[in-house]
Every structure is written in structure tokens, then in C-alpha cells.
Amino acid sequence: MKFIHTSDLHIGRRLGEYGLADDQRTILSQLLSLIRTEAPDALLIAGDIYDKTVPSADAVRLLDDFLTEAAALTQILLVSGNHDSPERISFGGRLIAGAGVHLCGIYDGQVHRVTFTDAWGEVHVYLLPFLRPADVRRYFPDCDTDTYDAAFGTAIAALDVNPDARNVILAHQFVTGGERSASETVSVGTADAVRAEHFDVFDYAALGHLHRAQTLHTPQGTPVRYSGSPMAYSIAESDTEKSVTVVTLGDGGSCVVETRPLTPLRRMYRLRGRYDELMALDYYRDTDYPASYVQITLTDEVDIPDALYRLRTVYPYLLRLEYDNTRTHAEQDMTALSDADAMDPEELFAAFFHAQNGSDMDADMQEHMKALIDRLWKGEDAR
């Protein structure tokens, strides 16, 4: 039994001032090609289909085009994520299930399961949309639903999974130990975390929510897999190769997890250097920097007039411009003075001097500073 697992499409998302429709269309086209090549039994999409609960007309049209083509090739199983509107994702679900597209957007306390059959018998895939404690408490008021972890455990127990069968879960949650990315919606601390051990009753957990592809394991060894987003949605992911996951279940619950690479329309880079270096033809001539999303850090000591406009003549997809020089270091040091209440007067003045000048006081300056502070502390005229 073979599945292609992806998640976090975030259709309709923007990157700064740039729309990503062409980028997303490119990735979805590659996903369709992979479906044709791999011939999976189903495509699993683990939430955050859209980037906003009320997607634009263009975003809806892009998803509609993709699902129409994909449904002609394989069955599709899809759950809603925390960015989605559960009601909008679920609309028309019973009608299009007959076309092999199975949607689970709203949690209603019921078991949503799709069963497949191969040479070794049945494989049950359970669909569980993004859950908040209140979602579960509504249907299980007498169970422990005070935290995300407790509520998720209650929802899993209600699935009544048969451990003697082969079972897969499609869900959208943050599992303790997962590595977050800057492009995700982050809760304070780990308040939204659920423990991996909840997935012990499954042979494979196909998850969405975290944008970096990664695999955790339950105490019993079940792969808890985040496929990651199919394209980068933050400059912090510029060093991340994107992919989709191909999982094959064999006899007795054996599970082989592989990846297939995806190539973005535009890559992401962090560039650093002096203005004249970055604008020189020899710097970017043999690269794809001008066709990519970039963040630029200038090291010039003097701010360059109209630097953003000028740099965009070479790097039209410049997302952000910042400086790293003596002035910015001083500003950072000044910010560090927020702990001033914990400093004595000599430490505070020394920190202020360093922030303003980018260097420490010499011995004579320190002695003079101490003498002035002593005289002021005693109420004497410091002149």
C-alpha cells in the first residue's frame, strides 16, 4: 500500500509584498507529476490547505484546479489545519466523496475512516482535523480535555483503533520534540503540544503543522512524520530542501518512508556584503540570485541612500534589507540596557559608553568615571 503524504500548502499565502500563486502552481504541478510516476493508492494532505480561513477567489480556484486533476489520478484524503476554516473545507464533502476526495474539516466526535485493500488485507486511514481542547470537550464533556495533550488523547481513544489491523492516521498537530519554523503560527511555550505516544496504535502517522520535514518516533517505534511544507514560506527556511513523503506499508505493518524532492520556482537566499560588492556583475553573474527571493545584509558603515530601490534593480525579489555595522551593534547594545535596574551606576555607565562608542573605556576614563559617580553619590558638585 503506497501513499504520498504532503501538508501545509498554504494556498493564497504572500511572502512580504509578493504573491505566491505562480510558485504554488509550480509546486502543485510537480506534485501531480509525482502522482503519475509513483501511482499511489492515495494522496494524504495533512492540513493548512489554505493560508487564511477566508481564502481569496484565486486561492480557491487554484486548489479546485489541483484537486480536479489529482482526483483523476488517485484518491485524496484531506484534513483541515489551524489556518483553515473547518466549515469551508468540509463543504460538499459528502458529494465529492464519491469522486474519491475525502474531506474531514469539522471535528464532530465521530470516527472518519477510509479503508483500502491490498494483497495483505485492509489498511484503515483515520482522518482527524486540527483539534483544540474546546473542540473535543463539546463531545466528551466527562473526559479530560483541559490541555491539548489530554484532549488529543481523548479523541484518539474514541477512534477505537484495532491494533491487529494496519492503521494510518492523518492529522494536523504539534508533537512534542518537533522542530518549528519561523513561518508557522506558534503558541506560547509548548501549550499546544501533544505526546508522540498517542500514535502508538498506528503503523504510520501522516502529520502536518511543522514546515520542516522530520520524523519522530513513538515509544513503540511508529514513524510520526511531518512531510513539511512543499515550499519555503520564510527566509529562515532558505537552507531547507523541500520534498513530499512517499510511504509504503507492507505485510505486518512494515513501513518504508522515502522522500521525493520538489524544485521551487524561486529559491531563497541570505546575501551579505558591502553594497558595491552585491551590485557588481561578477558577484551575481553565475548565480540565480536575481531570480530568487533574497534577504540582504549590508555591512557598509554608512547607510546607502535609496539602497532598497537600487538593490531591487538587480534583485527584484528582495524581501528584506538590513545593516550589520557599528551603528546597528550599538543599537543592539542599547536594547540590552533594558536590564539597567539590575546594574550598579558604574556598570550602567560602562555599558552606555560601550553602546555609544563601540569600545570600552580605558583605565583613565574608568577612574574619572568612578570619581564623578562618588562625588555625585555624596551630593557634591561634580564640576
Side-chain angles (χ1 to χ4, degrees), residues 125-126 128 152 156 159 167-171 199 202 204-207:
V125 182
Y126 294 82
L128 201 60
F152 191 75
I156 291 293
L159 296 178
N167 300 290
V168 173
I169 186 169
L170 180 63
F199 301 102
F202 300 98
Y204 179 76
L207 297 191

Side-chain angles (χ1 to χ4, degrees), residues 168-348:
V168 173
I169 186 169
L170 180 63
H172 188 95
Q173 299 289 153
F174 172 50
V175 177
T176 303
E179 182 183 355
R180 297 192 193 255
S181 297
S183 57
E184 298 153 14
T185 300
V186 178
S187 297
V188 176
T190 56
D192 59 345
V194 303
R195 289 171 294 158
E197 64 190 61
H198 293 303
F199 301 102
D200 263 333
V201 293
F202 300 98
D203 297 289
Y204 179 76
L207 297 191
H209 193 43
L210 300 187
H211 290 187
R212 290 183 182 272
Q214 55 197 286
T215 303
L216 309 173
H217 288 88
T218 71
Q220 299 299 321
T222 298
V224 178
R225 174 71 179 175
Y226 286 101
S227 65
S229 58
M231 60 175 286
Y233 289 117
S234 165
I235 201 70
E237 299 171 51
S238 60
D239 61 344
T240 304
E241 294 297 325
K242 295 298 184 176
S243 64
V244 296
T245 298
V246 177
V247 56
T248 304
L249 294 178
D251 187 21
S254 64
C255 183
V256 177
V257 177
E258 303 172 288
T259 60
R260 301 290 184 266
L262 296 171
T263 303
L265 177 64
R266 299 181 182 89
R267 294 190 178 275
M268 283 191 182
Y269 295 101
R270 286 173 165 154
L271 307 181
R272 176 186 176 87
R274 296 194 314 274
Y275 171 80
D276 58 352
E277 292 175 334
L278 296 176
M279 292 291 286
L281 177 62
D282 287 344
Y283 179 84
Y284 61 81
R285 177 171 48 199
D286 298 323
T287 73
D288 62 343
Y289 297 157
S292 303
Y293 296 111
V294 298
Q295 173 181 302
I296 291 180
T297 301
L298 292 179
T299 58
D300 301 80
E301 286 296 329
V302 178
D303 288 3
I304 307 298
D306 297 323
L308 183 65
Y309 171 77
R310 294 181 181 185
L311 285 164
R312 277 186 172 160
T313 63
V314 173
Y315 309 98
Y317 299 102
L318 173 57
L319 299 173
R320 181 178 178 182
L321 173 64
E322 56 187 30
Y323 283 85
D324 183 12
N325 54 27
T326 301
R327 173 183 58 79
T328 59
H329 293 172
E331 290 173 353
Q332 293 169 5
D333 290 340
M334 289 294 288
T335 302
L337 294 182
S338 58
D339 295 329
D341 290 342
M343 299 181 183
D344 63 35
E346 293 180 11
E347 292 174 328
L348 181 58

